[in-house]
Amino acid sequence: MLGKPVEHSLSPVLHGAAYDALGLPWTYERVEADAERLVELVAELGPEWAGLSVTMPGKRAALRVADEVAERADAVGAANTLVHRADGSWFADCTDVDGVSGALRVAGGFTGGRSGLILGAGGTAVAALAAFADLGLAEATLAVREPARAAEALEAAERIGLRVRVERLGAISLADAATSHDVVVSTLPAGAVDPHAADLAKSACVLDVVYHPWPTPLAEAVEAVGGRLATGLDMLLHQAFGQVEHFTGSPAPRTAMRDALAQATGHSLPL
């Protein structure tokens, strides 16, 4: 796994459990690398490498080093997965999209709708836009602190084919927005949505990507009203399934991966 910082990543738990379950004598390690180092490192890797997981700040650089890019990674403008093919070429994908859609379907119980509300406009928000399209939503609202920073997300939405409008946080009623959209995804950092937790909990389905510290005030608010909640741990689990399948060519051992993550974190996770 490449990124900076990566020392607290739970991905080794997931991948280690997967390769053990598949009977593969593989290792999966954390490697501290920024975007520049990622480019250098990929050029140095030999055929013994099956692939790389990529986290920030290297997800855009992962696209640049790839010989072939999945359509959704191209649309999102970032890749979290680099697959080393037998001919030495690199293939880039963005299984972060699966992370959002899988978490919403399984943990959040999301069964469909027309529109979604996303808080934030960074990389996770863009992956959520692509997940919305996969889930059949036609439009989304981005609620952001600074609308000018949503330009890249809007460009990605156009590539994805999703209608998006941008609203300034603080200038809209989040209670009204939560009830008028079918799903809410908060990609904001810990603490940023705490004052709005009760309003956002009015949504039929909520994904809070923060999982440490846990539970977040938003998660507590959703559970207090009996709402459907998906978490960042669910998202982490579901994005890892696709990575394992890319790297190994075998179906991901989902139960083994889920159980390992649950044991490592002390949280019960649905499949």
Side-chain angles (χ1 to χ4, degrees), residues 13 21-22 33 68 80 87 93 127 137-138 140 142-143 146 154 162 178 190 211 215 221 257 263-264:
V13 172
L22 292 171
E68 184 181 352
N80 74 325
D87 63 1
D93 195 8
L137 276 65
L142 292 175
E146 180 47 66
L154 288 173
L162 195 70
Y211 57 81
M257 295 171 69
Q263 182 176 2

Side-chain angles (χ1 to χ4, degrees), residues 63-157:
L63 287 185
R64 298 199 303 271
V65 302
D67 301 286
E68 184 181 352
V69 176
E71 182 177 350
R72 63 181 179 179
D74 186 50
V76 169
N80 74 325
T81 307
L82 283 170
V83 185
H84 205 186
R85 290 176 164 167
D87 63 1
S89 65
W90 289 92
F91 171 74
D93 195 8
C94 185
T95 68
D96 287 333
V97 178
D98 300 329
V100 176
S101 60
L104 288 175
R105 284 193 184 103
V106 176
F110 184 71
T111 57
R114 177 172 179 79
S115 66
L117 172 67
I118 300 173
L119 277 65
T124 303
V126 175
L129 290 174
F132 281 3
D134 284 351
L135 292 165
L137 276 65
E139 57 189 40
T141 298
L142 292 175
V144 298
R145 286 171 285 194
E146 180 47 66
R149 296 183 179 176
E152 291 185 358
L154 288 173
E155 292 172 2

